[in-house]
Amino acid sequence: MSLRFPPHQDAADRPALVTGASSGIGRASAEALAALGHPVVVGARRADRLDDLVGRIREAGGRATARPVDVTSAESVAEFVAAAGEAYGPPEVLVSSAGTLKMARVWEMEPDDFASQIDIHLLAVQRLLHAVVPGMVDRRRGDVVLIGSDVAYTARPRSGAYVAAKAGLETMAHQARKELEGTGIRLGVVRPGPVMTEMGTEFDPETAESVINDWVKHGFGRHPRMCKPADLARGVAAMVSMPRGAQITELEIQPEAPIEEDYS
């Protein structure tokens, strides 16, 4: 056992896979990693949206390629990882950011919808780990970043299966981190508070009003500010750029409250 760690390879030699890259935190994370020099392979079900992202990265001098992926399908995930390897070589970084959101009380949500949310926010993450981590273990290096949520610890009402899925993800991450100890693989969770993304923008007015009223009732509306996806992307970049020998295991990022002119 050696107490020394080989330094990171240059970012240009550390390909990164980013799922959920068609919008929000995934898109911002791909841009942040590309800006650091990582070749990035971006994936999403809405593959038509990825062309613009790849174009923006390339115009800024980065390297990027897009591949469609449905993280609820093991076959699609395997094809995505294989295509990424062909593009830039074995992945050194994985960012799991795919997700959708449906709001309802636990008992009112249709069971199929509840199961679908568990699938995309929890089971899909395990599919990615299954496809990517064994190769990292063989090479004795790699960084895995999972996008969690503060709802895992502060359950918000009317969040359907999202709370249960993110709580499961956090627990799975704790377990996997212990199992990966000594392999050279670092696994961390970036845990957002409220973030301004497309998730939630499709709610009908009645649903939105019910959700907001319940959140305020239970103390989740202290101020109106929300994080931007770029704020979370900075956390992702910091996690994978940490020098070898240390790791950021959890990073919670919350919006700062507006500055009050009269604070007394």
Side-chain angles (χ1 to χ4, degrees), residues 78-99:
E79 291 173 353
F80 173 67
V81 174
E86 292 174 3
Y88 297 124
E92 298 284 331
V93 175
L94 168 65
V95 179
S96 173
S97 183

Side-chain angles (χ1 to χ4, degrees), residues 110-198:
E110 290 295 328
D112 285 347
D113 289 337
F114 196 94
S116 177
Q117 289 282 282
I118 296 291
D119 193 355
I120 195 167
H121 289 289
L122 178 58
L123 302 184
V125 179
Q126 193 274 337
R127 291 186 189 99
L128 286 164
L129 298 180
H130 179 72
V132 174
V133 170
M136 290 182 170
V137 171
D138 287 343
R139 295 187 298 276
R140 288 293 190 266
R141 63 180 186 272
D143 280 289
V144 176
V145 181
L146 310 180
I147 304 300
S149 173
D150 69 343
V151 303
Y153 298 101
T154 54
R156 293 182 189 147
R158 296 182 185 266
S159 295
Y162 188 70
V163 172
K166 289 300 187 180
L169 182 145
E170 293 269 359
T171 303
M172 182 175 69
H174 280 293
Q175 175 183 338
R177 193 178 302 117
K178 290 180 173 64
E179 294 166 345
L180 289 169
E181 192 169 276
T183 65
I185 315 307
R186 306 185 301 188
L187 184 147
V189 176
V190 171
R191 186 183 307 126
V195 185
M196 183 61 70
T197 69
E198 289 185 9

Side-chain angles (χ1 to χ4, degrees), residues 2-257:
S2 173
L3 297 181
R4 294 187 176 184
F5 291 85
H8 280 311
Q9 298 171 288
D10 289 341
D13 297 318
R14 299 178 66 205
L17 309 188
V18 182
T19 63
S22 59
S23 65
I25 298 170
R27 182 184 178 98
S29 296
E31 291 185 290
L33 292 174
L36 291 175
H38 295 271
V40 294
V41 180
V42 295
R45 282 186 293 187
R46 298 177 296 184
D48 57 305
R49 289 191 171 199
L50 298 175
D51 292 339
D52 174 66
L53 172 59
V54 169
R56 284 172 57 91
I57 290 173
R58 290 178 178 174
E59 287 174 8
R63 299 165 65 195
T65 189
R67 293 289 185 274
V69 63
D70 178 358
V71 293
T72 66
S73 163
E75 181 179 359
S76 180
V77 168
E79 291 173 353
F80 173 67
V81 174
E86 292 174 3
Y88 297 124
E92 298 284 331
V93 175
L94 168 65
V95 179
S96 173
S97 183
T100 61
L101 185 60
K102 290 187 177 182
M103 307 299 278
R105 294 187 177 106
V106 169
W107 69 91
E108 291 176 342
M109 179 170 271
E110 290 295 328
D112 285 347
D113 289 337
F114 196 94
S116 177
Q117 289 282 282
I118 296 291
D119 193 355
I120 195 167
H121 289 289
L122 178 58
L123 302 184
V125 179
Q126 193 274 337
R127 291 186 189 99
L128 286 164
L129 298 180
H130 179 72
V132 174
V133 170
M136 290 182 170
V137 171
D138 287 343
R139 295 187 298 276
R140 288 293 190 266
R141 63 180 186 272
D143 280 289
V144 176
V145 181
L146 310 180
I147 304 300
S149 173
D150 69 343
V151 303
Y153 298 101
T154 54
R156 293 182 189 147
R158 296 182 185 266
S159 295
Y162 188 70
V163 172
K166 289 300 187 180
L169 182 145
E170 293 269 359
T171 303
M172 182 175 69
H174 280 293
Q175 175 183 338
R177 193 178 302 117
K178 290 180 173 64
E179 294 166 345
L180 289 169
E181 192 169 276
T183 65
I185 315 307
R186 306 185 301 188
L187 184 147
V189 176
V190 171
R191 186 183 307 126
V195 185
M196 183 61 70
T197 69
E198 289 185 9
M199 284 177 53
T201 59
E202 71 279 9
F203 299 156
D204 61 80
E206 182 179 353
T207 298
E209 182 178 1
S210 298
V211 168
I212 291 171
N213 288 341
D214 260 13
W215 285 9
V216 170
K217 172 184 174 182
H218 291 279
F220 295 114
R222 296 191 312 278
H223 64 79
R225 284 211 64 249
M226 302 179 78
C227 289
K228 298 176 182 178
D231 298 326
L232 280 301
R234 293 185 185 97
V236 171
M239 195 168 275
V240 305
S241 301
M242 189 76 175
R244 295 296 306 277
Q247 59 180 328
I248 302 173
T249 58
E250 299 177 8
L251 182 60
E252 182 165 309
I253 300 176
Q254 294 284 351
E256 181 181 3

